[in-house]
Amino acid sequence: MNLILDQGNTATKIVLADRGQAVYTAAYPRLEPDELAALIDRYRPECGIIASVAMPDPAWLPLLRRRLRRFLSLNDDPAIRLPITLGYRTPETLGRDRIAAAVGAWTLRPEVPLLIIDAGTAITYDVVLPPGHFVGGNISPGLTTRFHALHDYTRRLPLISERDEVPDLGVTTEEAILSGVVRGIVYEMNGYIEIMHAKHPHAAVFLTGGHAPYFDRRLKCRTFASENLVWLGLNRIIEYNEDK
């Protein structure tokens, strides 16, 4: 069994995976070492991996290294091997979550070009081409980030959050913000998908991240919406390093 930790901007997601299947999943706004130790005691994983958007919480590392037969850190382990190659000119600055999501999508569809859209605090658009080469990608502000930016950097615009019904045109300031932000992201996503399909007609599009369900039904193109890409990718990295 593998212990997978995905430390994001707002929470740490934990998955315990056995033979590629999740047997436990949870998100912790603040994960304490004793909670982590209790999970290890209960499930007894042999291997583990962590990926963080910043750096892993130092309170966890001694525990993980002591209690697991093998522990990998995607942030600072120079010996870690990836099943895909990276074409990024500054791989040290490439988000670990972006690498993991790319590996996860490639694990599911290795035979076709891939566009991976991760809709979280930021929205990332990454491209992987067969036989498994990460070409690069772009970063854009996420849904909540855009709402906060309009509120924080203006004097009078209110702070709002997403709603299910989005008008074509706002007739109140709140509706104008909602429609402008949501439709702006939808047009942006559709634009990236159209460019990808123009270059690679058989490309598969994966949509992941916390806001993936919100946007999936609003896009013109069929996507593979999955909240599991990051942990699937991290689990595949464990398996790949175990095989070496």
Side-chain angles (χ1 to χ4, degrees), residues 1-7 12-28 31 36 39-40 43 45-51 64 68 227-236 238:
M1 186 175 295
N2 295 330
L3 171 64
I4 299 155
L5 296 98
D6 170 21
Q7 187 178 9
T12 298
K13 300 170 187 173
I14 291 184
V15 175
L16 283 140
D18 188 19
R19 297 180 179 86
Q21 300 297 316
V23 297
Y24 174 88
T25 61
Y28 294 79
L31 177 63
L36 185 56
L39 285 173
I40 294 174
Y43 289 96
E46 291 191 0
C47 301
I49 190 169
I50 188 169
L64 293 166
L68 300 176
E227 298 179 358
N228 302 325
L229 284 189
V230 170
W231 81 255
L232 284 172
L234 292 173
N235 192 62
R236 179 69 185 92
I238 292 176

Side-chain angles (χ1 to χ4, degrees), residues 9-227:
N9 289 298
T10 58
T12 298
K13 300 170 187 173
I14 291 184
V15 175
L16 283 140
D18 188 19
R19 297 180 179 86
Q21 300 297 316
V23 297
Y24 174 88
T25 61
Y28 294 79
R30 171 64 186 172
L31 177 63
E32 299 296 339
D34 59 342
E35 294 175 304
L36 185 56
L39 285 173
I40 294 174
D41 288 338
R42 179 180 177 185
Y43 289 96
R44 300 188 179 279
E46 291 191 0
C47 301
I49 190 169
I50 188 169
S52 174
V53 295
M55 287 300 292
D57 191 323
W60 306 337
L61 299 181
L63 171 67
L64 293 166
R65 293 191 173 109
R66 185 175 67 251
R67 298 289 302 276
L68 300 176
R69 176 177 61 79
R70 185 168 193 178
F71 171 67
L72 303 173
S73 172
L74 199 55
N75 289 77
D76 56 5
D77 188 344
I80 199 168
R81 296 172 180 268
L82 298 177
I84 63 173
T85 58
L86 301 180
Y88 219 63
R89 286 205 298 264
T90 57
E92 70 279 1
T93 69
L94 179 58
R96 307 298 98 170
D97 53 338
R98 293 172 65 190
I99 295 174
V103 173
W106 173 81
T107 299
L108 295 173
R109 296 294 306 275
E111 77 284 1
V112 296
L114 303 171
L115 172 64
I116 302 106
I117 304 174
D118 191 338
T121 304
I123 303 172
T124 57
Y125 302 88
D126 292 316
V127 174
V128 177
L129 299 180
H133 182 60
F134 182 97
V135 178
N138 292 341
I139 304 173
S140 180
L143 179 63
T144 303
T145 304
R146 298 187 196 207
F147 285 141
H148 275 276
L150 287 174
H151 173 68
D152 294 345
Y153 292 100
T154 63
R155 290 184 178 273
R156 298 186 62 185
L157 292 181
L159 177 62
I160 69 167
S161 58
E162 67 267 24
R163 301 168 191 171
D164 194 56
E165 296 297 325
V166 179
D168 291 333
L169 292 173
V171 294
T172 68
T173 298
E174 289 194 1
E175 286 185 355
I177 294 171
L178 177 68
S179 182
V181 168
V182 173
R183 292 186 180 279
I185 292 175
V186 170
Y187 298 151
E188 177 181 294
M189 289 182 176
N190 281 329
Y192 276 105
I193 294 170
E194 289 174 5
I195 291 171
M196 185 68 181
H197 281 153
K199 294 181 178 180
H200 306 282
H202 301 294
V205 179
F206 282 87
L207 181 61
T208 191
H211 283 118
Y214 185 77
F215 287 108
D216 183 45
R217 65 183 184 274
R218 304 176 192 276
L219 298 178
K220 293 189 296 184
C221 173
R222 177 174 177 265
T223 66
F224 297 94
S226 173
E227 298 179 358

